Amino acid sequence: MSPQIFSENWRKPTTILISALSFVVFLILDFLDNFLCILYRYIDELFEGQASSCFCASKEQQVRNVGGYGEGELSETLYQRKNAFREMGFLGFAKKSRKTGGGAVVNRWSDCGCESCLSWMNDCDQKLHFVVREPSQAIADQDCRGKPAENVIFLHGFLCSSSFWTETVFPNLSERVNRNYRLFAIDLLGFGRSPKPRDCMYTLKEHLEMIEKSVICPFQLDSFHVVAHSMGCLIAIALAAKHSKLIKSITLVAPPYIPSKDGDSLRVLEKLAQRKLWPPFQFGTSFMSWYEHLGRCVCFLVCRNHRMWERIVKLLTRRRDLHFMTMDLTRHTHHSAWHTMHNVICGGAKLMDGYLQVLSKAGVKVVVIHGDKDNVVPLECSNNIQMIVPNAEVTIIKNADHSSVLLGRERDFTRRLEHIWESIAC
């Protein structure tokens, strides 16, 4: 028997076995998530006096509980996620008396209460945290040439912060750019050192309003470039479309753009977080995306105790300082990450076609950079953008994944950005 025939004979039984195992595992997770819905209800009432709302109820009940949000602002994936026990009405009694948890600044018992994680509460204006690098000779250049400094806004991806840019691009900028460009690296709402309010649903609209409130309006930006990675690309596209007369260029790195047919956000969730056991990363993504209460358990164990984990990692690696991405991984709350993932990545997909069409008609320079080994965001996402914006420049980096499309090639990436900005200035 040839090796090929032997392989084909085993392929079908293996596929059936994996499918059966997957069904059993996710069935158990469905049950556990329903059980934790009840458990968290009573624990929240014990520690906070009232139960926090969740998305185990029907869409109609959720709309009543949340309130204050317009049509389409909240993603359908929040309450249309498949769960075998929820669809059967199992444990439905736990949802009848659920109340909406409130409080804009009160920290939840399951969130970290360290000084670093609560530093945003000291800001009365509740603006985003950002790092700004002013041009070293902006005033002199403006006096000599009559031309103001260029502005660039950097937006990070999911579970990251402004460090993604300040630790990679900022140190590699040329002297000419340092003299003539003003750079803003932003911690998006709910991440890094930015506010993480409990009364916020972290919709695309709320992310945009906070960027405008924190950077665009205070600094009176009359023109700017945008550079974004991963999830930040969706916010960047929306921001650029809203300010299409001000935007000069938009650079999208590994954009998770999945066309949403007929506004079907669930299709996006199934595409980016398919319920699969293998590979492990895919399982982790589906675990955190489909199970609200199980995901909260992970955040309780990891994010709330991040200082302990950081000490352990430092001890094991014998390093005094951890990599910035390791530090950023826990700088959020479950509430902020959960709602941003659903309302921006999944729910925002149905708005992207319209936004991209606005940019195309406005003649905005759109540049897309993607790694051909990206196992987080399919390469087809970049091709989807080019179908709507035919003039978009799409660059595929060989042997690069979701992170190494930038990490490990910081200097080349920065030179590419500078070339994009200069091509607009000419």
Side-chain angles (χ1 to χ4, degrees):
M1 182 179 293
S2 67
Q4 183 177 356
I5 297 177
F6 181 81
S7 177
E8 291 177 354
N9 290 338
W10 278 98
R11 186 176 302 169
K12 187 174 181 180
T14 302
T15 302
I16 295 175
L17 179 62
I18 293 176
S19 299
L21 182 61
S22 177
F23 174 80
V24 173
V25 169
F26 283 104
L27 188 66
I28 294 173
L29 294 179
D30 284 353
F31 174 79
L32 289 176
D33 202 58
N34 273 272
F35 172 76
L36 287 171
C37 175
I38 302 175
L39 181 62
Y40 274 124
R41 172 192 175 187
Y42 290 109
I43 297 178
D44 287 343
E45 288 179 345
L46 177 64
F47 286 99
E48 300 176 358
Q50 61 180 352
S52 299
S53 63
C54 68
F55 289 93
C56 294
S58 64
K59 176 180 178 180
E60 293 73 18
Q61 183 175 342
Q62 287 304 321
V63 171
R64 291 196 300 269
N65 283 346
V66 176
Y69 287 87
E71 181 70 24
E73 285 190 60
L74 301 182
S75 174
E76 292 82 358
T77 57
L78 287 167
Y79 38 77
Q80 288 184 357
R81 291 167 292 114
K82 297 178 182 178
N83 185 300
F85 294 94
R86 187 183 307 136
E87 293 171 3
M88 292 187 297
F90 188 67
L91 303 181
F93 65 87
K95 307 166 192 173
K96 295 181 180 179
S97 62
R98 182 167 297 278
K99 301 176 183 178
T100 301
V105 297
V106 178
N107 197 45
R108 301 181 77 174
W109 66 270
S110 56
D111 296 333
C112 181
C114 73
E115 182 178 354
S116 174
C117 291
L118 299 182
S119 60
W120 62 272
M121 292 186 180
N122 298 324
D123 180 11
C124 297
D125 294 332
Q126 294 296 293
K127 293 182 179 180
L128 299 178
H129 172 267
F130 58 89
V131 177
V132 56
R133 175 178 286 188
E134 294 283 357
S136 57
Q137 295 184 5
I139 297 178
D141 288 346
Q142 186 171 354
D143 290 341
C144 295
R145 300 180 298 150
K147 185 178 180 180
E150 297 277 351
N151 300 299
V152 185
I153 296 176
F154 291 85
L155 303 179
H156 61 79
F158 193 59
L159 303 187
C160 291
S161 76
S162 55
S163 299
F164 187 81
W165 303 110
T166 60
E167 297 289 334
T168 56
V169 171
F170 282 27
N172 290 286
L173 292 167
S174 65
E175 185 60 30
R176 175 174 32 79
V177 168
N178 283 326
R179 287 198 309 266
N180 302 310
Y181 284 73
R182 181 166 53 175
L183 312 174
F184 300 89
I186 297 174
D187 283 355
L188 291 171
L189 181 65
F191 299 92
R193 295 173 60 186
S194 282
K196 305 169 183 65
R198 287 181 57 186
D199 62 348
C200 174
M201 298 300 288
Y202 299 87
T203 62
L204 193 56
K205 179 181 178 182
E206 287 171 320
H207 279 282
L208 297 186
E209 290 175 345
M210 285 297 287
I211 294 174
E212 293 168 336
K213 173 184 175 182
S214 307
V215 175
I216 295 179
C217 293
F219 288 88
Q220 299 179 342
L221 302 189
D222 55 4
S223 67
F224 55 90
H225 304 267
V226 179
V227 180
H229 176 251
S230 194
M231 180 202 72
C233 293
L234 302 181
I235 299 175
I237 292 172
L239 182 69
K242 186 175 182 179
H243 299 278
S244 59
K245 294 183 179 180
L246 305 182
I247 193 73
K248 303 188 75 172
S249 75
I250 177 171
T251 303
L252 307 172
V253 185
Y257 167 59
I258 302 292
S260 179
K261 297 180 180 179
D262 302 321
D264 184 11
S265 300
L266 194 61
R267 176 177 176 270
V268 180
L269 179 62
E270 292 173 342
K271 182 71 175 180
L272 296 176
Q274 187 177 358
R275 305 211 315 182
K276 296 171 60 178
L277 292 181
W278 195 264
F281 180 85
Q282 183 68 51
F283 174 68
T285 301
S286 61
F287 182 96
M288 296 300 293
S289 301
W290 288 84
Y291 298 106
E292 180 177 5
H293 303 290
L294 286 169
R296 186 179 175 186
C297 287
V298 173
C299 289
F300 172 73
L301 295 173
V302 178
C303 298
R304 189 178 189 273
N305 301 289
H306 67 88
R307 292 169 295 177
M308 177 190 70
W309 291 114
E310 288 164 8
R311 287 194 292 268
I312 293 175
V313 174
K314 287 180 180 179
L315 183 63
L316 294 176
T317 59
R318 298 182 180 179
R319 296 182 58 179
R320 178 176 298 179
D321 298 317
L322 298 179
H323 192 274
F324 69 89
M325 291 192 70
T326 301
M327 301 291 289
D328 287 345
L329 196 60
T330 60
R331 296 301 192 269
H332 64 274
T333 65
H334 175 255
H335 184 80
S336 67
W338 172 261
H339 290 90
T340 296
M341 189 273 295
H342 282 278
N343 289 330
V344 173
I345 298 178
C346 299
K350 59 178 174 285
L351 305 173
M352 290 300 116
D353 283 5
Y355 291 150
L356 288 170
Q357 289 172 7
V358 169
L359 298 180
S360 182
K361 291 179 181 178
V364 176
K365 186 178 182 64
V366 178
V367 179
V368 181
I369 302 174
H370 210 138
D372 66 348
K373 302 296 183 182
D374 195 328
N375 61 353
V376 178
V377 176
L379 193 58
E380 67 183 76
C381 292
S382 293
N383 298 328
N384 292 334
I385 291 179
Q386 195 169 42
M387 292 179 64
I388 300 179
V389 187
N391 293 328
E393 298 179 12
V394 178
T395 301
I396 307 302
I397 308 299
K398 293 184 178 180
N399 299 317
D401 59 25
H402 196 65
S403 298
S404 62
V405 69
L406 191 160
L407 301 180
R409 53 183 306 273
E410 292 87 350
R411 185 175 296 275
D412 290 341
F413 181 86
T414 305
R415 294 290 86 79
R416 172 66 170 143
L417 288 181
E418 293 183 349
H419 176 74
I420 295 170
W421 303 335
E422 291 171 357
S423 67
I424 302 296
C426 295

